[in-house]
């Protein structure tokens, strides 16, 4: 029986090649699109879920009220880790991490690569497998270093790196004690080496008992059977009980939520990347559903041609169940063929998809589980696609069919019309949402920055740069490479420091205000291109007292309540007095979608990490960089010359939105394509069924345009109905999404009009092709058999 079903199914596919091809193409594209999205989703939900201790791993968070809002942040004091391990019985181990960036020297090789300072427990808490070395002892000594296999190959080629010596910043030698397997692409961690925390203590000589300096990430491994609720009750008051910080709470964020649930509002998790994952999960489901709808529509449209077959089978004793099995078998066979084609499409396109999503996805052909899931996916798709046609075709009454009185349904509302409306409703929703996402992104990109990012370059201060800063600054300007130079605490596009430990005359002591803290040695406004709205810029050369000068942005002046800030004194936690000399116009340093936060720009009695320099517009960029490289090589010869353009770094702030927008555009286009593919098949079949009617009308004088309109209007009516349903759905969805942004667009009517017209034009072009073809056919050919 099964062999007979397969044989009949195969003959039907071959007998109706064009419709089989449309069905296979639609299903294959739908399945390939859904598969790519599912691979992406699987990668997202698997982030850091490969650790053996994942159910017991937590990241410590702080929580406190600032500006009347409850804020959460994932950095903690350095002393917290030791306190947790020594005083809290539910904690098995802890590890701190903070970024490290050193120049590695091995022979004549010099590499500047990112890494972490961390505690010895890091390697046993997390499941990053070692190719060589012992995870329990690899970081026990101050001169130990663990490197990844990529860094090992860069430094030592194919030699065994264990026991080899690496020189860091031409200062200290480290011995390689372990080589770690390459980090998977589904982890939040990003490093090429690990250095013991004891080395950080030695080099920075920092007080590790300061509970007010939240500068590191603290990872916690609990003992078995310790619940998240119990742990949070224990650690809630750890900061309060060990310091004078009386309004800071601590809580633990579990590993299962690090990637997907990282956004907090009023102290509670409100989502994060999980929203994007859910969105694309819905898109994958609907794309596959639309492909299945195509199959349903084309199969039921051909019902009249298969009605006689069903009637004869029922007369000779076929039961409804066996007929349903036959038709489902046909759809599953077709889905299997489409699945193979879909795998080919995915394999061809996955490299481009990886570039688009910044992933390293692949098809695990050697994994048995993958093939089992693939077969389930094919069977499920085939069953969904064939379910309605199977029940519809098997329900025909043999008496009506064999008498010739059977007619396909042509009611005002039919399942086929309903399915077409569902298809185009989803396609139009996607188009509208894509346009609004792109408009929101463009709105933020066009926002006034408050500084001039063109020709603005920065270089990290490493090696001898700080020692030779004055000479470097002088040579950059005298060589004509730069117009002005300033050193700062962080790049202009990033916030590296903030503090609430400031006091000033008239401050409301009950209010806790968090300021972004930025340090400079002078010429800050000149180099960055800021607009000074009151007072002046910091200039130590002209005003020696500017070593303790401070410049506010407008947001800071507002929250401090100064009518005239110039000359006011601001004190920080170490009782240093800063005198305000100027106010600059607000400029964006963090998210372009959010309001500018209060900022304090402090004078040279501070710490510095970065040199900013404004390139000379009189020269080409290449010439300026060549001259700048010569200057840095002269005074910092062991380090490679590395630079970053401020405009490129600012553009990276839009990467996530760009990826989301591009993916939405891609899948919206595929949705429209699949829908129109089905529409094309339906139009072809309807034109074929009405060919004699068209011929009679043409003989009676009907024009090509009137015939085209006759055949197209029903489909266009369905598209218009889809637009009317899709518009409010899209508006509501985008209205909710835009609430996530303080700086956002208003949804405009033209977006809906444009989406509607675009869809109607595409649908009209699809249907009209078949309509015009049918209208131009010679009527004699159709009427000759009458």
């Amino acid at each position: 029986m099964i062999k007979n079903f397969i044989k009949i199914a195969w003959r039907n596919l071959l007998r109706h090649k064009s419709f089989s091809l449309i069905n296979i193409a639609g299903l294959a594209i739908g399945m390939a699109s859904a598969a790519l999205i599912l691979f992406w989703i699987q990668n997202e939900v698997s982030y850091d879920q490969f650790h053996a201790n994942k159910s017991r791993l937590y990241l410590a968070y702080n929580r406190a009220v600032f500006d009347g809002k409850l804020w959460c942040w994932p950095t903690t004091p350095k002393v917290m880790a030791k306190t947790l391990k020594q005083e809290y019985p539910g904690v098995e181990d802890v590890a701190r991490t903070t970024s490290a960036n050193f120049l590695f020297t091995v022979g004549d090789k010099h590499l500047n690569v990112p890494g972490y300072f961390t505690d010895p427990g890091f390697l046993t808490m997390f499941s990053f497998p070692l190719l060589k070395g012992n995870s329990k002892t690899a970081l026990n000594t101050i001169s130990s270093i663990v490197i990844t296999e990529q860094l090992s190959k860069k430094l030592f080629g194919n030699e065994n790196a264990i026991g080899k010596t690496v020189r860091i910043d031409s200062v200290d030698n480290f011995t390689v004690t372990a080589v770690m397997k390459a980090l998977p692409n589904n982890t939040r961690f990003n490093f090429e080496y690990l250095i013991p925390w004891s080395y950080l203590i030695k080099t920075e000589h920092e007080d590790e008992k300061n509970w007010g300096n939240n500068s590191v990430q603290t990872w916690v491994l609990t003992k078995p059977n310790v619940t998240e609720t119990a742990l949070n009750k224990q650690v809630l008051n750890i900061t309060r009980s060990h310091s004078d910080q009386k309004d800071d709470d601590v809580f633990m964020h579990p590993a299962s939520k690090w990637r997907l649930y990282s956004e907090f509002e009023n102290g509670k998790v409100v989502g994060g990347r999980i929203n994007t994952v859910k969105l694309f999960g819905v898109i994958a489901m609907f794309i596959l559903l639309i492909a299945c709808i195509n199959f349903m529509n084309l199969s039921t449209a051909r019902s009249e041609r298969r009605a006689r077959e069903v009637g004869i089978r029922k007369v000779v004793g076929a039961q409804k169940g066996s007929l349903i099995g036959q038709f489902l078998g046909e759809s599953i066979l077709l889905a299997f063929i489409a699945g193979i084609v879909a795998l080919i499409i995915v394999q061809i396109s996955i490299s481009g998809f990886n570039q688009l999503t910044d992933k390293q996805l692949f098809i695990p052909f050697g994994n048995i589980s993958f093939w089992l899931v693939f077969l389930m996916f094919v069977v499920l798709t085939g069953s969904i696609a064939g379910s309605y046609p199977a029940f519809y075709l098997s329900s025909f009454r043999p008496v009506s069919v064999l008498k010739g009185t059977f007619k396909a349904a042509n009611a005002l509302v039919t399942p086929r019309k309903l399915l077409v409306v569902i298809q185009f409703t989803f396609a139009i929703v996607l188009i509208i949402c894509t346009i609004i996402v792109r408009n929101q992104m463009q709105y933020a990109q066009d926002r006034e920055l408050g500084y001039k990012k063109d020709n603005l370059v920065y270089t990290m201060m490493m090696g001898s740069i700080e020692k030779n800063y004055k000479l470097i600054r002088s040579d950059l300007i005298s060589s004509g490479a730069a117009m002005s130079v300033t050193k700062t605490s962080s790049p202009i596009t990033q916030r590296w420091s903030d503090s609430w430990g400031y006091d000033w005359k008239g401050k409301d002591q009950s209010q806790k205000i968090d300021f972004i803290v930025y340090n400079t040695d002078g010429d800050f406004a000149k180099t960055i291109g800021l607009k000074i709205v009151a007072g002046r810029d910091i200039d130590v050369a002209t005003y020696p007292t500017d070593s303790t000068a401070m410049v506010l942005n407008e947001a800071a002046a507002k929250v401090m309540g100064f009518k005239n800030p110039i000359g006011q004194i601001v004190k920080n936690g170490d009782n240093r007095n800063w005198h305000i000399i100027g106010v600059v116009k607000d400029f964006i340093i963090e998210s372009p979608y959010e309001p500018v936060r209060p900022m304090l720009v402090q004078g040279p009695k501070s710490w510095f990490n970065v040199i900013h320099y404004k390139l000379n517009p009189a020269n080409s960029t290449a010439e300026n960089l060549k001259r700048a490289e010569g200057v840095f090589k002269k005074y910092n010869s062991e380090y490679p010359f590395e630079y970053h353009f401020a405009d490129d770094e600012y553009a990276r702030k839009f990467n996530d939105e760009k990826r989301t927008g591009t993916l939405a555009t891609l899948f919206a286009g595929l949705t429209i394509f699949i829908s129109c593919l089905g529409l094309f098949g339906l139009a072809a079949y309807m034109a074929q069924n009405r060919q004699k009617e068209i011929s009679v009308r043409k003989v009676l004088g009907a024009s090509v345009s009137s015939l085209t309109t006759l055949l197209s209007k029903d489909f266009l009516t369905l598209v218009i109905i889809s637009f009317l349903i899709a518009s409010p759905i899209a508006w509501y969805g985008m209205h909710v999404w835009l609430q996530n942004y303080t700086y956002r667009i208003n949804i405009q009517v033209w977006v809906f009009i444009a989406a509607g017209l675009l869809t109607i034009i595409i649908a009209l072009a699809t249907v009209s092709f078949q309509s015009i073809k049918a209208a131009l056919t010679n009527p004699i050919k159709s009427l000759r058999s009458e």
Side-chain angles (χ1 to χ4, degrees):
M1 183 66 73
I2 295 175
K3 182 179 178 181
N4 185 51
F5 281 174
I6 294 173
K7 185 183 293 185
I8 294 171
W10 183 252
R11 286 175 178 173
N12 273 313
L13 291 179
L14 295 179
R15 187 178 301 120
H16 306 286
K17 294 184 180 64
S18 59
F19 290 97
S20 298
L21 185 62
I22 291 174
N23 267 333
I24 291 171
L27 277 180
I29 295 171
M31 293 170 78
S33 301
L36 284 171
I37 296 175
L38 291 175
F39 279 132
W40 179 85
I41 290 175
Q42 189 276 333
N43 179 269
E44 287 289 325
V45 300
S46 67
Y47 256 68
D48 287 308
Q49 299 307 298
F50 55 86
H51 299 297
N53 297 322
K54 64 181 180 182
S55 62
R56 298 191 288 135
L57 283 171
Y58 296 87
L59 173 61
Y61 266 71
N62 270 306
R63 181 168 52 203
V65 176
F66 294 99
D67 306 330
K69 295 180 180 179
L70 190 58
W71 294 87
C72 301
W73 65 98
T75 52
T76 55
K78 295 174 182 176
V79 66
M80 183 182 289
K82 288 185 178 179
T83 307
L84 283 168
K85 192 170 183 179
Q86 292 171 359
E87 300 181 13
Y88 291 81
V91 175
E92 181 176 305
D93 205 352
V94 291
R96 294 161 290 186
T97 57
T98 190
S99 61
N101 203 342
F102 292 111
L103 179 73
F104 279 52
T105 301
V106 174
D108 59 350
K109 294 179 181 177
H110 303 282
L111 292 176
N112 191 10
V113 288
Y116 287 166
F117 290 107
T118 191
D119 291 294
F122 182 88
L123 290 173
T124 54
M125 290 170 60
F126 296 96
S127 302
F128 294 115
L130 300 183
L131 297 175
K132 296 175 183 176
N134 188 330
S135 60
K136 295 181 180 179
T137 60
L139 292 171
N140 282 356
T141 62
I142 195 170
S143 60
S144 302
I145 186 170
V146 176
I147 61 176
T148 62
E149 60 179 322
Q150 303 101 305
L151 184 56
S152 177
K153 289 181 180 178
K154 292 175 187 176
L155 295 173
F156 306 107
N158 294 322
E159 296 180 24
N160 183 4
I162 300 297
K164 299 280 187 181
T165 299
V166 177
R167 192 160 182 79
I168 289 183
D169 280 358
S170 302
V171 175
D172 292 307
N173 291 324
F174 282 76
T175 301
V176 178
T177 55
V179 176
M180 182 182 291
K181 190 177 180 181
L183 298 184
N185 74 321
N186 58 342
T187 179
R188 64 178 296 153
F189 296 97
N190 179 28
F191 60 86
E192 291 198 45
Y193 59 88
L194 299 173
I195 289 181
W197 194 267
S198 53
Y199 183 74
L200 178 65
I201 298 173
K202 171 191 170 183
T203 55
E204 294 193 356
H205 308 289
E206 286 195 8
D207 178 15
E208 294 219 337
K209 296 181 180 180
N210 182 1
W211 283 88
N213 182 6
N214 295 288
S215 57
V216 302
Q217 291 189 306
T218 302
W219 311 91
V220 177
L221 176 67
T222 63
K223 292 179 180 178
N225 302 321
V226 175
T227 65
E228 179 184 348
T229 303
L231 180 64
N232 281 331
K233 285 182 180 179
Q234 292 178 25
V235 304
L236 178 66
N237 297 316
I238 183 173
T239 302
R240 299 182 185 188
S241 60
H242 290 85
S243 70
D244 59 357
Q245 306 284 334
K246 298 306 178 184
D247 52 358
D248 287 13
D249 291 339
V250 173
F251 67 95
M252 297 294 169
H253 198 46
S256 60
K257 296 181 179 179
W258 289 346
R259 176 68 173 180
L260 301 179
Y261 299 89
S262 57
E263 288 186 10
F264 295 84
E265 188 175 299
N266 200 27
K268 296 182 179 179
V269 174
V270 293
R273 291 186 67 85
I274 187 63
N275 298 327
T276 305
V277 169
K278 288 179 178 178
L279 170 65
F280 281 102
V282 171
I283 289 175
M285 180 183 71
F286 273 100
I287 287 179
L288 192 60
L289 183 61
I290 284 172
C292 292
I293 287 173
N294 276 353
F295 184 94
M296 295 177 188
N297 279 339
L298 288 175
S299 297
T300 54
R302 292 167 51 210
S303 58
E304 289 187 27
R305 302 218 168 188
R306 302 203 67 177
R308 192 173 297 276
E309 172 193 343
V310 172
I312 292 174
R313 283 179 174 276
K314 282 192 171 184
V315 167
V316 296
Q319 299 297 313
K320 186 175 182 178
S322 65
L323 291 173
I324 291 174
Q326 177 193 333
F327 294 128
L328 282 177
E330 288 182 17
S331 64
I332 291 173
L333 174 63
L334 192 143
F336 181 78
I337 297 171
I340 299 299
V341 176
L343 280 181
I344 297 171
I345 294 173
V346 170
Q347 184 63 26
I348 293 171
S349 60
I350 200 164
S351 60
F353 189 73
N354 282 337
Q355 290 181 359
L356 181 62
T357 57
D358 193 27
K359 298 282 188 183
Q360 298 173 22
L361 307 177
F362 62 93
I363 302 177
F365 288 110
N367 191 326
I368 296 177
S369 298
F370 165 75
W371 289 108
L372 291 175
V373 171
F374 171 74
L375 287 174
M376 290 173 60
F377 182 60
V378 166
V379 171
L380 179 64
T381 303
S383 299
I384 293 172
S387 58
Y388 176 65
F391 285 99
Y392 178 74
L393 291 171
S394 62
S395 65
F396 292 161
R397 296 179 61 189
V399 175
S400 300
V401 170
L402 297 177
K403 279 185 176 181
T405 58
F406 169 80
K407 294 291 181 183
N410 193 28
L412 181 63
V413 178
T414 64
R416 193 185 312 150
K417 291 178 180 179
L418 184 62
L419 291 173
V420 170
V421 168
I422 292 173
Q423 274 187 313
F424 277 91
T425 296
F426 180 70
I428 295 169
V429 166
L430 262 186
I431 292 173
I432 293 171
C433 292
T434 300
I435 295 173
I436 293 174
V437 168
R438 290 191 168 276
N439 287 349
Q440 169 65 9
M441 189 169 63
Q442 190 62 49
Y443 184 64
Q445 287 178 321
D446 293 341
R447 183 180 178 184
E448 179 61 39
L449 276 179
Y451 67 90
K452 298 176 182 178
K453 65 181 186 295
D454 297 336
N455 288 323
L456 182 60
V457 182
Y458 67 85
T459 295
M460 306 306 297
M461 295 178 70
M462 300 185 66
S464 302
I465 290 180
E466 186 170 8
K467 181 178 67 176
N468 296 320
Y469 169 69
K470 290 184 178 179
L471 296 171
I472 291 172
R473 181 180 184 277
S474 176
D475 282 12
L476 282 172
I477 294 173
S478 63
S479 68
M483 299 292 291
S484 59
V485 181
T486 184
K487 61 179 178 179
T488 59
S489 53
S490 67
I492 191 63
T493 55
Q494 300 174 36
R495 172 185 61 84
W496 284 8
S497 179
D498 61 299
S499 176
W500 56 87
Y502 287 88
D503 200 6
W504 60 90
K505 185 178 179 180
K507 179 185 178 182
D508 181 356
Q509 297 300 325
S510 65
Q511 190 176 22
K512 195 173 183 180
I513 300 173
D514 187 45
F515 295 93
I516 295 175
V517 178
Y518 211 84
N519 303 327
T520 180
D521 70 319
D523 284 344
F524 181 66
K526 178 182 178 181
T527 305
I528 305 301
L530 303 176
K531 182 179 179 181
I532 298 175
V533 296
R536 58 178 176 82
D537 195 6
I538 295 173
D539 183 359
V540 180
T542 307
Y543 308 95
T545 57
D546 276 7
S547 59
T548 57
M550 176 180 282
V551 172
L552 313 179
N553 70 349
E554 292 173 307
K558 183 178 180 180
V559 298
M560 287 179 161
F562 292 136
K563 291 183 179 179
N564 182 16
I566 309 303
Q568 298 285 346
I569 301 299
V570 177
K571 295 181 179 181
N572 64 2
D574 58 5
N575 292 319
R576 178 175 292 167
N577 291 338
W578 299 91
H579 60 283
I580 300 173
I581 64 166
V583 178
V584 296
K585 185 177 178 63
D586 286 341
F587 62 96
I588 299 172
I589 193 172
E590 294 187 290
S591 170
Y593 299 102
E594 301 299 329
V596 175
R597 289 175 57 192
M599 178 186 292
L600 309 178
V601 181
Q602 300 176 159
K605 281 203 172 178
S606 310
W607 45 274
F608 302 100
N609 293 301
V610 186
I611 293 179
H612 286 86
Y613 40 102
K614 193 76 168 181
L615 298 181
N616 188 348
N619 306 320
S620 67
T621 300
E623 178 62 27
N624 283 328
L625 291 175
K626 183 178 180 181
R627 295 180 186 183
E629 181 177 15
V631 173
F632 280 99
K633 285 289 187 182
K634 179 180 177 181
Y635 296 106
N636 197 36
S637 58
E638 291 189 349
Y639 284 73
F641 173 57
E642 296 180 349
Y643 57 89
H644 307 270
F645 283 95
D647 52 359
D648 289 341
E649 295 301 313
Y650 181 75
R652 287 193 174 93
K653 293 179 182 292
F654 300 95
N655 281 351
D656 283 344
E657 286 78 10
K658 282 182 178 177
R659 290 192 188 104
T660 301
T662 304
L663 287 173
T665 302
L666 172 64
F667 292 119
L670 286 172
T671 303
I672 281 288
F673 178 77
I674 295 170
S675 299
C676 288
L677 196 63
L679 206 61
F680 182 85
L682 278 178
Y685 199 82
M686 293 301 106
Q688 185 178 341
N689 279 356
R690 299 179 68 177
Q691 190 61 59
K692 286 184 172 60
E693 175 193 345
I694 293 168
S695 299
V696 171
R697 288 178 178 273
K698 195 170 183 181
V699 168
L700 296 176
S703 64
V704 172
S705 59
S706 64
L707 292 173
T708 302
T709 302
L710 174 69
L711 295 173
S712 303
K713 65 179 183 180
D714 289 343
F715 292 109
L716 290 183
T717 301
L718 298 179
V719 173
I720 292 170
I721 292 172
S722 300
F723 170 74
L724 295 175
I725 296 172
S727 295
I729 296 173
W731 178 87
Y732 177 76
M734 286 293 94
H735 174 74
V736 172
W737 178 75
L738 286 170
Q739 302 313 303
N740 295 321
Y741 302 98
T742 305
Y743 189 80
R744 58 180 180 264
I745 61 171
N746 293 317
I747 301 176
Q748 297 177 322
V749 176
W750 72 263
V751 173
F752 299 90
I753 296 173
L757 288 176
L758 178 64
T759 310
I760 289 172
I761 289 170
I762 293 173
L764 184 62
T766 303
V767 174
S768 294
F769 176 81
Q770 292 291 354
S771 301
I772 294 171
K773 180 181 176 183
L776 291 174
T777 302
N778 189 341
I780 296 175
K781 292 182 179 179
S782 300
L783 299 176
R784 182 177 295 163
S785 61
E786 293 297 326

